[in-house]
Amino acid sequence: MEASLGPYVIRYRWPIIILTILSILVCVYGATQLRFTNDYRIFSGDKNPQLQAFDKFQDMYGKQDSILIAVASKSGDIFTAENLGAIQELTEKAWETPYSSRVDSLANYQHTQVTGDELLVQSLYEDKSELGPEKVKWIKDVIMAEPLLVGRLISDQGHVAAVNITMNLPEDSSGPEAESVYYARQIAAELEAEYPGLETYLSGQTVLNISFLEAAVYDSKTLIPIMFGLLIFMLAVVTRSFWGTVGTLLVVAFSVIFSFGVAGYLDILQSNTTGAVPIIVLTLGVADSIHLLVSFFHEWEKCGDKEKAINEALRINFQPIFLTSLTTIFGFASLNFSESPPMQDMGNMVALGVVAAFFYSIAFLPALLSLIPLKSHKASEQQEKIMDTLHYFARDYRHTLLGVFILVGVGLGLAIPSTSFNDLFAEYFGEEIEFRRDNDFIRENLTGVMALHYSVAGNGENGIFEPEYLSQLDALGEWFKTQDKVLHIDSIASTMKRLNRTMNEDDASYYRIPDSRPLASQYMLLYEMSLPFGLSLDNTLNSDRSATRLTVTMDNIHSEDAIALVERAHKWQLENAPALTMTDAVGPSIMFSHISKRNLISMLDGMVIALLAISVVILISLRSMKLGLLSLVPNTVPIVMTYGVWAVVVGELGMSGAFVSVIVLGVIVDDTVHFLSKYLRAKRELNMNSEEAMAYAFRTVGVALATTTIILVAGFSVLTLSAFSPNTALGSMSSIAFVIALLTTYFMLPPLLYLVDGRAEKTPNMDEFDDSESKAA
């Protein structure tokens, strides 16, 4: 019989409590050193090919981050003198946005016209005083006839316009981004106050980045208080002890502080993903304390001596708590195989929290229990009767239950391949976040935030002026317009056609590509020389004029559809536009489209290694090859069934869905470990046969398993209230897995044990359990 830590914990309880307090103080300081990042790029590792391609693209054409301020007319017509004047005022203020490099709007759109032999390039209007009825009508005609504007800076109905601010932010841009977005919201609010007939909405990549921070703040203010409230209620019900509840709350709170404190010293960047760490650690940390408290009160009620009860509770729970903590650490540590750094950070931080929860549970909690006044209470007879009923059901219908699990498991497993991968980053946020509400309005009324960027090269220096290149570039843009979900095309071909028409007395028949390279080159030279400061074509043409930027703006599009669109575009270009050399599509949209699938593939290695490591640990600790191998079944079936249920009910996997398997693996193993530990203890220490040991396992750990599962489901269900959709999916899938894991432990594991470990003829006598246990102790 193994020795207990109890005597040492009780003897050194004051040093343990003092060391615990000191460790927390040190960790509190470490937590103050944490840094938060809201850069969407962190979801792609440095070796991500889509991120590398996007960086190369931005080196050529400049950064693509922007703030878009949409202005909607309540009257339904933006083309009034007052509204156009408001846009002109907003444009002027937008130039003062911190870290801005360019502003595009209807007010500074560079209209081209010829006067004599001179090409004039100038804004449509510069002051609202010049906006008479005829001028307004002329402005509307020009704008609504320009493909580069409609669907980008003006809606096709003419009721919403936009001012787009291009940003040039530094690398570590959390502070500058917040400053820029704050200013943009301020001038938008001022516009609404001055012009009551207008409403403003903000979108763009820079606003999206800030929304990651806003979602994290929202979650911390709402989810953590909800989780603590749930924990207090459930612990009070389960432990029926004020001090037991307080002690457990201190354990989980200290575990969270330890996790964030060490993360601060290790300089682990915080993000929306790590924002889920407190909820996960709070939930997981409770399980250790629950098992210890349940055993403690059971032993105390039986022997009447609190210190002996602490000793025995530690003796019988140390190994299973250690094993479950270790397997949970393996599960979350395997997230380091992910290609997404935030998921690696979350896994490491949760693993740190689990380590802390283990030590605080087996040292601080018993030490605290030995000092505080407590009252023993009897175990609920009703709970024991329920566990006996579950045992009899699992025993009597074991063959049927195994058949049901096999049929359902195979059926759900076959449904998994039908799951599609989708990371729609524009919908990462709930309606609680302003960006989501504003972006939905802009998407429905003006343009989208999702875009594909291409660098399209011609034949060498100045090759973009070849008529063949321009014609095929124009044809490519027209092909994109025929594709589903495409809202707008930004191509230099449209500018070239407009210049050709302007230089030919605005004859509509000349709205086409110039006939010769010298002519196209001359037109572009005249146009560039006439552009004002800040509105050059450096964001569209590369330095030696060998390539141009092509941007395809899309409505919200599923990841697989975006990837399919990119593949179709390359195929069309190869077959129909041989003069063009296209790079791979780049941008946040295509990066996030690949994230889920790339991460799922990368996590397969992590899943296999975690499963093998956990199985070896269980096999060694149980000292039974047969039961160690048997444990693989109830540990993997819940994962397969969870993905199957998700495939049937939802049908899509996002970024977090790729990690659920390894996250829940380390947790659902806990049920198997605790059940098998009690089962083997009954056989080895109490000399019970298989059926008696089964009944003993149900009675001694069945209620605790149900309790911890309820807490796990409640805790992870809190994540479904998150304003960040990957956390919502993580909470939903994990909750499903935990429920299935409990059902598997209750109704699949016992039949399997009966099958491989034999069944005794004797029916267990429940009244003898306590006596047998006392003699063994």
Side-chain angles (χ1 to χ4, degrees), residues 40 50-51 53-55 57 64 205 425 451-453 584-593:
Y40 65 89
Q50 284 81 35
L51 178 59
F54 188 45
D55 287 341
F57 177 89
Q64 303 299 306
Q205 201 64 55
F425 75 89
L452 302 175
H453 301 287
D584 291 331
V586 298
S589 301
I590 201 65
M591 273 195 288
F592 280 93
S593 294

Side-chain angles (χ1 to χ4, degrees), residues 684-699:
R684 292 169 178 171
E685 292 186 23
L686 306 181
N687 297 316
M688 293 180 179
N689 60 41
S690 296
E691 187 163 344
E692 291 172 334
M694 194 78 68
Y696 174 83
F698 266 102
R699 272 200 165 194

Side-chain angles (χ1 to χ4, degrees), residues 213-226 228 275-276 278-279 722-723:
L213 174 60
E214 292 173 342
V217 171
Y218 174 88
D219 284 356
S220 66
K221 289 182 178 179
T222 56
L223 303 190
I224 295 178
I226 291 173
F228 264 108
I279 305 298
S722 171

Side-chain angles (χ1 to χ4, degrees), residues 418-622:
S418 65
T419 308
S420 61
F421 296 95
N422 183 38
D423 260 311
L424 195 57
F425 75 89
E427 295 182 357
Y428 267 7
F429 309 101
E431 296 290 340
E432 308 90 340
I433 305 303
E434 184 179 356
F435 169 81
R436 173 63 186 272
R437 300 193 300 270
D438 285 6
N439 188 68
D440 284 349
F441 176 87
I442 293 172
R443 178 179 60 83
E444 294 168 2
N445 294 275
L446 179 61
T447 190
V449 70
M450 302 186 72
L452 302 175
H453 301 287
Y454 292 94
S455 179
V456 186
N459 186 18
E461 186 175 352
N462 293 316
I464 65 170
F465 300 119
E466 290 288 351
E468 183 182 23
Y469 170 89
L470 291 169
S471 296
Q472 293 184 11
L473 181 65
D474 185 45
L476 177 61
E478 293 300 318
W479 177 85
F480 267 116
K481 290 179 182 178
T482 65
Q483 303 303 299
D484 187 36
K485 298 292 186 178
V486 173
L487 300 176
H488 185 264
I489 304 298
D490 189 356
S491 168
I492 195 65
S494 297
T495 302
M496 193 61 74
K497 290 193 292 184
R498 174 163 60 92
L499 288 173
N500 192 43
R501 181 185 61 192
T502 299
M503 298 301 290
N504 286 277
E505 300 179 348
D506 281 328
D507 186 341
S509 64
Y510 280 88
Y511 189 72
R512 61 176 190 264
I513 300 301
D515 295 330
S516 68
R517 172 170 174 162
L519 200 58
S521 178
Q522 182 182 3
Y523 288 168
M524 186 57 65
L525 177 62
L526 290 172
Y527 180 66
E528 288 192 79
M529 290 177 62
S530 304
L531 289 173
F533 174 78
L535 295 177
S536 70
L537 295 180
D538 290 344
N539 67 334
T540 304
L541 311 178
N542 70 347
S543 58
D544 66 355
R545 303 306 188 252
S546 62
T548 67
R549 173 178 61 85
L550 174 69
T551 296
V552 181
T553 304
M554 304 174 294
D555 196 355
N556 286 1
I557 183 172
H558 284 192
S559 298
E560 292 187 344
D561 293 335
I563 294 172
L565 174 61
V566 169
E567 292 173 350
R568 292 198 306 274
H570 274 286
K571 182 179 179 181
W572 187 94
Q573 179 264 317
L574 291 173
E575 295 175 353
N576 300 278
L580 309 180
T581 302
M582 292 173 58
T583 62
D584 291 331
V586 298
S589 301
I590 201 65
M591 273 195 288
F592 280 93
S593 294
H594 284 279
I595 279 179
S596 296
K597 199 166 187 177
R598 289 178 60 85
N599 275 313
L600 185 61
I601 293 172
S602 68
M603 286 312 301
L604 289 177
D605 292 337
M607 174 71 176
V608 171
I609 292 174
L611 184 59
L612 289 175
I614 289 171
S615 300
V616 169
V617 168
I618 294 176
L619 190 148
I620 294 174
S621 61
L622 296 179

Side-chain angles (χ1 to χ4, degrees), residues 201-357:
Y201 304 85
L202 270 70
S203 185
Q205 201 64 55
T206 304
V207 185
L208 171 68
N209 283 349
I210 288 299
S211 299
F212 283 109
L213 174 60
E214 292 173 342
V217 171
Y218 174 88
D219 284 356
S220 66
K221 289 182 178 179
T222 56
L223 303 190
I224 295 178
I226 291 173
M227 186 61 213
F228 264 108
L230 280 173
L231 282 180
I232 292 172
F233 172 76
M234 290 186 291
L235 287 171
V237 172
V238 172
T239 64
R240 291 177 286 161
S241 165
F242 172 78
W243 286 109
T245 300
V246 171
T248 303
L249 287 175
L250 287 175
V251 167
V252 295
F254 289 170
S255 300
V256 172
I257 294 171
F258 180 88
S259 175
F260 278 87
V262 176
Y265 287 116
L266 297 178
D267 197 27
I268 296 177
L269 277 176
Q270 302 303 294
S271 64
N272 291 78
T273 306
T274 59
V277 169
I279 305 298
I280 297 175
V281 173
L282 285 173
T283 305
L284 298 178
V286 168
D288 295 345
S289 300
I290 287 290
H291 283 285
L292 195 69
L293 286 171
V294 169
S295 297
F296 165 69
F297 284 116
H298 174 73
E299 297 295 332
W300 192 11
E301 189 271 331
K302 186 175 63 178
C303 71
D305 187 308
K306 187 166 74 169
E307 291 192 1
K308 287 183 179 179
I310 291 174
N311 291 341
E312 186 64 8
L314 277 172
R315 187 184 73 82
I316 64 178
N317 283 287
F318 178 82
Q319 184 191 52
I321 289 177
F322 173 75
L323 289 177
T324 55
S325 298
L326 188 60
T327 56
T328 301
I329 290 168
F330 281 157
F332 280 92
S334 65
L335 287 176
N336 284 284
F337 285 90
S338 166
E339 291 192 9
S340 183
M343 298 306 297
Q344 299 172 12
D345 295 336
M346 184 189 76
N348 292 331
M349 289 183 66
V350 172
L352 287 170
V354 172
V355 170

